[in-house]
Amino acid sequence: MSKFFGVVPPVVIPLNPDFSVDYPSYTRVLNHLIESGCHALFALGSTSEVVFYDDADRRRILEHTVKIANGRVPVIAGVIDPTTDRVIRHAQTARSIGVDAVVVTAPFYTITSQNETLDHFRMVRGAVDIPLIAYDIPVCVHTKLARQTVVTLAREGTVIGLKDSSGDAGNFLDALLDLADRPDVFLMTGSEIVVDNALQMGAHGVVPGLANVDPAGYVRLWNAAQAGDWAAARREQERLCRL
């Protein structure tokens, strides 16, 4: 059974007027998410605008996140960058800081095949002894992680999970079915508005940006789903859609 499950917000990072990180506000955001019952934190994701930060800022943000979390929940760190060598460097930094896992996309800017994407993930995992989570977000990286790519990486132990922000519900369900015999692999949806549907399909968790605004609502939705109260889960989802 994976230790990653439930509501895992991609934590928003407040900024000062000069665009530097507002760490007092960031501390309040982190505590609010944890105290609202979220099960883990995803720092430096898309909601955190990870690619806008240089190496020094990324390090400081992760150090602060791990410090404030203080073991209360796992911390997952985005190490997103266009090229494999840069991703490896970010992953090494994240590991040294003490995060629990890192999130990796396909390479981007250059046009990349599925075989090259497989090599990318394998090279990162081979260089850094830390759990890898694949992040499927083709709207940003312009490469779709094919179903077989995800399944291959999971079955060979290169990745321990998937965050699916592709919007391809059919592909997500296929991956869930393909890996149903692997309880050590988790698959999470990045959707905010069809979380109840994803959980009914068997998703192991959710990574909704709106959880920064209403974390307790997503925790209630998760708890209702775990209890099999799908009517309550749907009501909470509809409320969150209106929000």
Side-chain angles (χ1 to χ4, degrees):
M1 180 70 179
S2 173
K3 72 175 182 178
F4 303 107
F5 63 90
V7 180
V8 184
V11 187
V12 70
I13 297 179
L15 302 178
N16 293 307
D18 66 355
F19 303 111
S20 61
V21 176
D22 179 351
Y23 281 99
S25 294
Y26 186 46
T27 298
R28 290 192 291 273
V29 170
L30 293 168
N31 283 324
H32 178 55
L33 295 174
I34 295 170
E35 291 163 5
S36 296
C38 294
H39 303 90
L41 301 172
F42 176 20
L44 289 179
S46 300
T47 306
S48 307
E49 291 121 353
V50 55
V51 295
F52 295 165
Y53 296 108
D54 62 19
D55 290 12
D57 278 329
R58 290 193 193 202
R59 171 183 283 277
R60 189 177 176 198
I61 288 165
L62 291 183
E63 287 173 341
H64 191 80
T65 307
V66 170
K67 176 184 175 182
I68 299 303
N70 194 28
R72 290 180 288 173
V73 296
V75 174
I76 299 168
V79 292
I80 298 162
D81 227 318
T83 63
T84 306
D85 58 336
R86 294 185 190 179
V87 173
I88 289 171
R89 186 174 70 244
H90 294 313
Q92 289 169 336
T93 298
R95 184 183 184 279
S96 72
I97 291 167
V99 306
D100 296 277
V102 296
V103 177
V104 179
T105 69
F108 52 96
Y109 187 74
T110 55
I111 298 171
T112 307
S113 71
Q114 292 296 311
N115 283 336
E116 290 169 319
T117 299
L118 285 166
D119 287 342
H120 169 70
F121 280 94
R122 290 164 177 161
M123 290 171 71
V124 176
R125 184 65 185 88
V128 190
D129 185 18
I130 192 169
L132 259 59
I133 300 166
Y135 188 1
D136 189 15
I137 184 165
V139 69
C140 290
V141 304
H142 308 296
T143 297
K144 166 73 182 157
L145 294 182
R147 167 187 175 186
Q148 192 55 50
T149 297
V150 172
V151 172
T152 297
L153 290 171
R155 288 202 172 278
E156 70 186 24
T158 300
V159 303
I160 62 164
L162 169 73
K163 182 202 171 186
D164 189 319
S165 294
S166 69
D168 187 344
N171 191 75
F172 185 62
L173 176 57
D174 284 336
L176 283 164
L177 295 173
D178 290 341
L179 294 167
D181 63 332
R182 291 293 301 269
D184 55 323
V185 176
F186 71 91
L187 290 87
M188 296 187 173
T189 178
S191 172
E192 299 168 330
I193 61 174
V194 291
V195 169
D196 58 335
N197 293 343
L199 294 178
Q200 278 194 303
M201 288 195 298
H204 307 105
V206 300
V207 191
L210 189 62
N212 287 282
V213 177
D214 189 356
Y218 282 99
V219 171
R220 285 194 298 272
L221 196 166
W222 167 262
N223 289 339
Q226 298 312 295
D229 189 347
W230 295 108
R234 179 177 177 179
R235 286 195 299 273
E236 192 63 47
Q237 180 67 85
E238 290 174 349
R239 188 189 67 79
L240 289 163
C241 287
R242 290 191 294 272
L243 177 62

